[in-house]
Amino acid sequence: MAKNSLENILFGNACILTATIFWGVNYPFTKALIPDFMSSAGVAAFRVMGGCLLFWLSSLFIKGDTIEKQDFLKIVIGGALGLFGCIYLFVIALDYGSAIDIAIIMTLQPAFVMLIEIIFLHRRPDLTEYAGLAISFIGAALIILTGHTGTSHANDLLLGDFFAVCAGICFAIYLVILQKPTQKYKPISLLRWVFLFAALPGLFLVPDLPAMAIWKADELVPWLEIGFIVLCPTFLAYLLVQPASKAIGSVLVALYQYLTPVVAALAAIWMGVDHLRWAQVVAMLVIIAGMLLTNWGKIRQRN
C-alpha cells in the first residue's frame, strides 16, 4: 500500500513538474518568435486552432463524457472570453514586454480569482487572505514601477505588463466559470469544447497569417518553437493538471505555478531573449510570499 502511495505521489509530482516546465519554456519560445518570424495574432491563432485540432483528434480515441446542456453557456464564455482572451493578450504582452516580467505577473492568477469571487460571488475571505493579496500586488507593482529601464528585447515594458495583467484576469475568469465543469467532466471531453469556442474568435486572426515571415524561413528552429508551443504548453500541459491534482491534491499543484517564472527566467537567459534584474527576483519572492499567505488563510478558513 505504501509503495502504491509513493508511486502515486511521484507520478503526480512528475505530471505537474512537466507541465510547469512546459509553461515556463513557453515564455522565451514565444518571445523568440515575435516579431521576427510571427506576429502576435499569428502565434495566438496557431495556439487556439492547433490546440482545438489536437483535442478533437484525441477525443476520437478516448471515450469521453456527454456535456450537459446547462454547462454549455459556461463553456462558451470560458472558451471565447477566458481562454482566447488569455492566450491572445498573453502573446501581445510578450510582444511588448519582458518574458521574465510577464511570467512573474502571471503568477497573480490566484489573486485575480480571489478578487472575482469577492466581487461577483460575494465570498468573504479572512484578514490573512486579504493581507496575502495586498502583498502579492505590492510585488506586481514593484515589477511595473521598476520596468522603465527596458531591455534590448522589449519594446514597451509598461504596456507589456498591462496586457499581462489583462491576460491573468481573463484566465481567472476561465478558472472561476469552469470550476464545476472541470470537476464534472474528463479533461478531453471538456477541453475539446473549450478550445473549439476559443478557436472561433481566433478565426478573426487568420487574415494575419499569410504575411508572416515564418513561411519564408530557411531554418527549422522557428517551426520547432511553434510546434512545441502548440503541442506542449497548449495541449499536453492542460492534460497533465487533472491527474496531478488527483494524485497530490490541488493545493500542491497550485504551489508548482511559482516555479514557472523560475523556469521562464532560466530559459530566457539561456536563449538570450531577456536578462534578469534584481527587482524581478525581489518581486517574485514578494508575490510568492503573498500567495502562500493567501493559501494558508484559505486552508485555515476551511478548517
Side-chain angles (χ1 to χ4, degrees):
M1 186 69 180
K3 182 181 177 182
N4 291 334
S5 178
L6 178 60
E7 288 178 353
N8 208 33
I9 291 171
L10 291 174
F11 172 74
N13 279 278
C15 285
I16 193 59
L17 179 60
T18 302
T20 301
I21 292 171
F22 287 161
W23 285 322
V25 176
N26 179 42
Y27 289 85
F29 269 35
T30 303
K31 185 71 179 174
L33 285 170
I34 304 171
D36 294 337
F37 295 102
M38 300 183 73
S39 64
S40 303
V43 174
F46 263 76
R47 286 196 68 180
V48 293
M49 293 179 184
C52 178
L53 179 63
L54 289 174
F55 278 112
W56 277 93
L57 286 174
S58 301
S59 69
L60 298 176
F61 306 98
I62 300 173
K63 186 178 179 181
D65 306 313
T66 301
I67 305 296
E68 297 176 7
K69 290 182 180 179
Q70 64 267 25
D71 289 325
F72 266 106
L73 180 59
K74 294 179 180 178
I75 293 173
V76 171
I77 297 173
L81 174 62
L83 185 62
F84 173 76
C86 174
I87 289 176
Y88 184 47
L89 293 170
F90 166 80
V91 179
I92 293 177
L94 283 171
D95 189 9
Y96 289 104
S98 156
I100 300 175
D101 280 5
I102 306 306
I104 295 170
I105 290 173
M106 291 298 284
T107 60
L108 285 171
Q109 288 167 8
F112 295 136
V113 169
M114 187 172 137
L115 282 176
I116 291 172
E117 290 176 343
I118 292 171
I119 296 170
F120 297 103
L121 303 182
H122 308 294
R123 181 171 170 262
R124 292 293 174 262
D126 65 11
L127 291 177
T128 306
E129 291 180 82
Y130 278 119
L133 190 66
I135 292 171
S136 296
F137 281 118
I138 289 172
L142 182 61
I143 280 288
I144 294 169
L145 294 174
T146 60
H148 63 278
T149 53
T151 73
S152 60
H153 303 283
N155 302 321
D156 190 328
L157 291 179
L158 186 60
L159 190 58
D161 293 345
F162 169 75
F163 280 118
V165 170
C166 294
I169 292 172
C170 283
F171 196 69
I173 292 171
Y174 166 87
L175 292 174
V176 172
I177 289 179
L178 293 177
Q179 182 179 8
K180 290 183 178 178
T182 299
Q183 297 169 353
K184 189 187 298 185
Y185 305 112
K186 295 175 182 176
I188 289 286
S189 304
L190 179 64
L191 289 170
R192 65 177 180 174
W193 288 105
V194 172
F195 268 86
L196 176 63
F197 291 115
L200 292 179
L203 292 174
F204 291 99
L205 307 179
V206 170
D208 196 60
L209 297 181
M212 294 190 305
I214 194 170
W215 304 113
K216 300 176 182 178
D218 296 328
E219 49 190 315
L220 188 60
V221 173
W223 284 107
L224 292 176
E225 289 172 340
I226 190 62
F228 171 86
I229 290 169
V230 172
L231 177 62
C232 297
T234 308
F235 175 68
L236 293 177
Y238 279 90
L239 290 181
L240 291 170
V241 172
Q242 192 170 46
S245 297
K246 288 182 178 179
I248 61 176
S250 58
V251 174
L252 186 53
V253 165
L255 292 179
Y256 264 91
Q257 72 176 299
Y258 303 123
L259 284 178
T260 304
V262 177
V263 176
L266 293 174
I269 294 167
W270 178 70
M271 292 177 62
V273 299
D274 209 342
H275 68 266
L276 192 64
R277 308 191 312 271
W278 68 266
Q280 292 171 323
V281 177
V282 174
M284 192 186 308
L285 294 175
V286 171
I287 290 175
I288 291 173
M291 287 293 95
L292 289 175
L293 187 60
T294 301
N295 287 333
W296 180 56
K298 283 182 180 179
I299 294 170
R300 195 176 68 170
Q301 191 179 49
R302 286 171 187 168
N303 292 337

